[in-house]
Amino acid sequence: MVQTFEEISASDFFYRNRDIAGFTNPSRAIFVAIREIVENSLDAAESQKIPPDVYVRLSYEAGATKETQIYKLRVEDNGCGIQPRFIPSAFGQILYGSKYKLKQTRGTFGLGGKMALLYGQITTHQAATVTSCTGDTNKIYTFQLMIDIQRNRPVIIDRKVQINKDNWRGTIIEFTLEGDYLRSMPKILEYFKQTAMVNPYANLTFVDPKGRLYKFTRATTDMPEPPKETLPHPYGVDVELLQRLISVTECPTMTEFLRYHFHRVGGITAQKFLEFNELPPNKNPKKLTHIEIVKLTQNLKKFKDFLPPDASCLSPLGEELLKTGIMKELNPEYLVVHQRKPSTYAGHPFIVEIGMAYGGGVPKTGNFVLYRFANKIPLLYDEASDVSYRVIGSMNWRRYKASADMPIAIVVHICSTKVPYKTVGKEFIADRAEVRREIANALREVARQLGHFLSRREHVDREKKRISIFSKYLPRIAEFSAMLAGKERIPDIDKLLKSVQKYGSEEK
Ligand SMILES: Nc1ncnc2c1ncn2[C@@H]1O[C@H](COP(=O)(O)OP(=O)(O)OP(=O)(O)O)[C@@H](O)[C@H]1O
Ligand SMILES: [Mg+2]
């Protein structure tokens, strides 16, 4: 039999394999769709340092099967908007986006928003509506779009232009999709709560199909500095990237090539490296042979004198905002946060931030409650496969006087230009040695402080108990001793009690 071959487009691939993007079943699909669109909105507002206002409405349209319904999802934001010429492809062409840059953003794949619309299209056969204004013009553009899945191209069904009378800026996405809201409700609400925790400067509103309103109000308008785009770091370069840079470079010499295209390489470092690599400094990069390029790549990784990447391409929350977020959503009795210094894995910079909360609103589940975040996205599935879960499991908690039956929440936030996700559904983080080490160090630091708090608390509790015993028995002892001694006046024990108490309160 003759084999037949065919080529499929990126859309077609994800249409056939939507599970790998998180669209596994009607319940999970509705959660992932909301999450992807909300994340685009948060990115769009944050990139301009605008405190995000995101309004999400999920409304019932019709019944579909026994368990599933057709819903309309509408998400409005006050972000940067999209220029009309990019709207069709941004929402109708898979693997198209503005975030394939070396800086921290929630979006990375150029896939999420489109997957939501594609899922909507194949389950309800209706067009999506995208309305947007960048604020630079007084025109608002509205597109009705579908995706030509086989060709991976947008199909514009309709396009309208309105005058922007109210100076509005932002984006509104509306489309229908099949889903099982009842089943996905707990995860969706948890998603909003955790998003509010790690974005304390955002206003999030969610109206569910029953008309219930969930409002997460911002606790601050302070925002982290937006990340700046960076160049590749020499430690993260491979032959393919080097060849691409060589083909576009206009630098006539190797020294200039290294200085211009790589992060943290100055003239002196470039010269030192070229000596190490045994290449003349004024060699034209375009004249390098394949063998020389391979050797260059290997030596870029071996050379010890490159400075580590700086963190301007990252936008961590910072200890204050992390505190604000955790206080706002968990309101614990005790909270400690810690931010690690920037570190790298395979040339990608990353920062780990950790919070540990005790008591108050922290739920008591019989286990540590772990909140995982990557680039300010809550990760809600596959906890047991995540690196943070493993690190927590491998720690000796008794050393810190902590145990799983206490109401303890651990918040782990990793931000990076390239978060080592294991799937395109962004569910859990791979166990990279460098990442694991940073999480473990950060955890030890906060655990130590929690340990101090817990032992102080234990001590205070012991003292309280001691004093309560004194105050219970001393009056009786005084009474009986007076009786035994045949005295009428019972001795004043207040002084004695106070001296014990004073000792107790000083100890606190
Ligand atoms: N609300 C929005 N405001 C402004 N631009 C948006 C908005 N939503 C999407 N975009 C643009 O559309 C592009 C595609 O979005 P999409 O979610 O498909 O991919 P992504 O966010 O780049 O990556 P990921 O697949 O990781 O989410 C984005 O890169 C962004 O430029
Ligand atoms: Mg996205």
Side-chain angles (χ1 to χ4, degrees):
M1 209 175 78
V2 184
Q3 273 180 312
T4 55
F5 291 88
E6 59 183 319
E7 183 188 351
I8 62 165
S9 72
S11 278
D12 209 347
F13 173 81
F14 282 104
Y15 158 67
R16 294 169 194 228
N17 302 295
R18 44 190 179 275
D19 297 50
I20 56 177
F23 291 80
T24 321
N25 54 50
S27 143
R28 190 138 161 191
I30 205 155
F31 160 77
V32 180
I34 291 180
R35 185 187 122 160
E36 291 292 353
I37 307 289
V38 168
E39 258 135 45
N40 284 348
S41 292
L42 292 172
D43 268 344
E46 229 174 75
S47 65
Q48 311 284 308
K49 220 178 167 187
I50 306 162
D53 275 312
V54 184
Y55 171 85
V56 183
R57 195 182 70 206
L58 189 68
S59 44
Y60 175 80
E61 287 276 292
T65 65
K66 223 165 148 201
E67 282 99 29
T68 62
Q69 276 79 36
I70 306 287
Y71 295 102
K72 182 178 271 174
L73 175 62
R74 182 183 169 95
V75 180
E76 294 180 25
D77 68 53
N78 62 340
C80 59
I82 320 171
Q83 288 178 31
R85 64 196 158 117
F86 299 125
I87 290 178
S89 291
F91 292 98
Q93 185 175 338
I94 280 191
L95 305 189
Y96 180 96
S98 61
K99 303 177 199 166
Y100 297 122
K101 305 253 165 60
L102 279 179
K103 66 174 181 179
Q104 175 188 329
T105 45
R106 294 174 182 76
T108 44
F109 302 119
L111 176 71
K114 266 90 63 177
M115 272 314 286
L117 300 196
L118 186 144
Y119 180 80
Q121 175 175 322
I122 59 175
T123 52
T124 68
H125 319 290
Q126 289 187 41
T129 309
V130 180
T131 302
S132 191
C133 179
T134 55
D136 302 336
T137 65
N138 67 343
K139 293 195 179 107
I140 299 175
Y141 294 85
T142 301
F143 285 81
Q144 278 201 18
L145 296 168
M146 287 188 93
I147 305 173
D148 178 339
I149 296 175
Q150 276 182 310
R151 288 176 56 242
N152 190 24
R153 285 287 177 274
V155 181
I156 302 172
I157 313 275
D158 190 24
R159 179 181 180 275
K160 271 199 204 108
V161 186
Q162 286 162 265
I163 299 298
N164 187 2
K165 286 189 211 117
D166 304 321
N167 254 337
W168 174 74
R169 185 208 53 234
T171 303
I172 304 171
I173 319 267
E174 196 170 86
F175 65 105
T176 51
L177 75 168
E178 190 180 315
D180 182 350
Y181 176 68
L182 274 188
R183 253 218 207 132
S184 58
M185 188 171 81
K187 272 275 192 273
I188 292 174
L189 297 182
E190 187 60 27
Y191 168 76
F192 278 110
K193 178 188 161 93
Q194 293 196 24
T195 302
M197 192 191 293
V198 83
N199 300 274
Y201 42 80
N203 269 343
L204 305 170
T205 311
F206 173 51
V207 183
D208 87 349
K210 293 231 158 23
R212 283 177 293 221
L213 174 80
Y214 299 90
K215 225 170 149 56
F216 299 84
T217 310
R218 67 170 64 92
T220 173
T221 49
D222 286 346
M223 291 180 73
E225 271 312 303
K228 294 190 185 77
E229 194 182 338
T230 186
L231 296 168
H233 191 274
Y235 291 148
V237 171
D238 58 17
V239 172
E240 173 65 22
L241 179 61
L242 209 54
Q243 266 166 345
R244 286 188 196 185
L245 292 173
I246 289 170
S247 73
V248 296
T249 189
E250 287 176 3
C251 300
T253 67
M254 274 311 293
T255 318
E256 276 183 47
F257 173 71
L258 290 171
R259 280 184 54 186
Y260 188 78
H261 291 283
F262 294 96
H263 182 46
R264 305 213 74 182
V265 181
I268 296 173
T269 316
Q271 290 215 336
K272 271 199 207 158
F273 170 73
L274 289 168
E275 242 168 69
F276 172 77
N277 190 66
E278 295 166 344
L279 262 184
N282 45 14
K283 174 148 186 147
N284 184 341
K286 295 217 190 265
K287 297 259 161 69
L288 289 175
T289 63
H290 182 70
I291 294 176
E292 280 174 324
I293 293 176
V294 173
K295 184 177 159 206
L296 191 66
T297 314
Q298 287 163 349
N299 282 337
L300 281 169
K301 288 201 172 64
K302 281 187 203 149
F303 187 64
K304 292 276 175 290
D305 288 353
F306 290 126
L307 290 172
D310 74 27
S312 59
C313 55
L314 302 181
S315 175
L317 264 186
E319 293 183 350
E320 273 317 303
L321 282 177
L322 187 60
K323 244 187 207 165
T324 309
I326 299 174
M327 282 314 290
K328 172 167 124 68
E329 293 305 319
L330 291 180
N331 195 20
E333 182 188 333
Y334 174 78
L335 172 64
V336 52
V337 295
H338 177 59
Q339 185 189 60
R340 295 282 301 166
K341 288 212 174 69
S343 180
T344 53
Y345 78 93
H348 306 296
F350 72 96
I351 290 180
V352 168
E353 301 178 298
I354 279 206
M356 199 175 267
Y358 175 92
V362 176
K364 210 171 167 181
T365 60
N367 232 325
F368 295 126
V369 187
L370 171 60
Y371 295 99
R372 297 172 292 136
F373 300 100
N375 287 356
K376 300 174 199 149
I377 301 180
L379 309 180
L380 298 186
Y381 282 95
D382 297 324
E383 181 182 82
S385 313
D386 194 283
V387 56
S388 305
Y389 183 86
R390 295 188 181 180
V391 177
I392 291 171
S394 68
M395 289 213 357
N396 176 6
W397 289 99
R398 246 177 303 156
R399 254 182 83 179
Y400 306 103
K401 294 198 175 296
S403 67
D405 57 4
M406 292 176 172
I408 293 178
I410 301 172
V411 176
V412 183
H413 180 213
I414 297 169
C415 44
S416 177
T417 45
K418 190 171 185 311
V419 174
Y421 292 117
K422 275 277 197 143
T423 64
V424 285
K426 297 177 187 162
E427 307 298 6
F428 62 99
I429 292 175
D431 196 341
R432 306 286 301 224
E434 299 86 342
V435 177
R436 163 183 270 269
R437 196 168 45 238
E438 281 300 299
I439 295 174
N441 286 338
L443 259 177
R444 268 184 225 118
E445 174 61 35
V446 287
R448 216 163 31 83
Q449 296 192 41
L450 178 75
H452 289 323
F453 164 78
L454 290 175
S455 43
R456 227 170 27 237
R457 221 179 113 102
E458 207 179 273
H459 186 82
V460 170
D461 280 352
R462 248 200 331 264
E463 277 307 298
K464 270 193 196 146
K465 236 186 229 154
R466 201 169 69 95
I467 285 159
S468 95
I469 291 172
F470 277 134
S471 47
K472 195 165 157 197
Y473 292 109
L474 270 182
R476 288 174 164 223
I477 294 171
E479 215 179 289
F480 289 136
S481 357
M483 216 162 72
L484 280 175
K487 292 200 172 159
E488 282 218 343
R489 239 188 84 235
I490 299 168
D492 182 13
I493 50 131
D494 270 3
K495 242 189 182 165
L496 193 59
L497 206 56
K498 254 189 207 141
S499 77
V500 187
Q501 264 173 353
K502 199 167 156 230
Y503 170 72
S505 61
E506 263 171 11
E507 278 290 295
K508 275 182 199 178

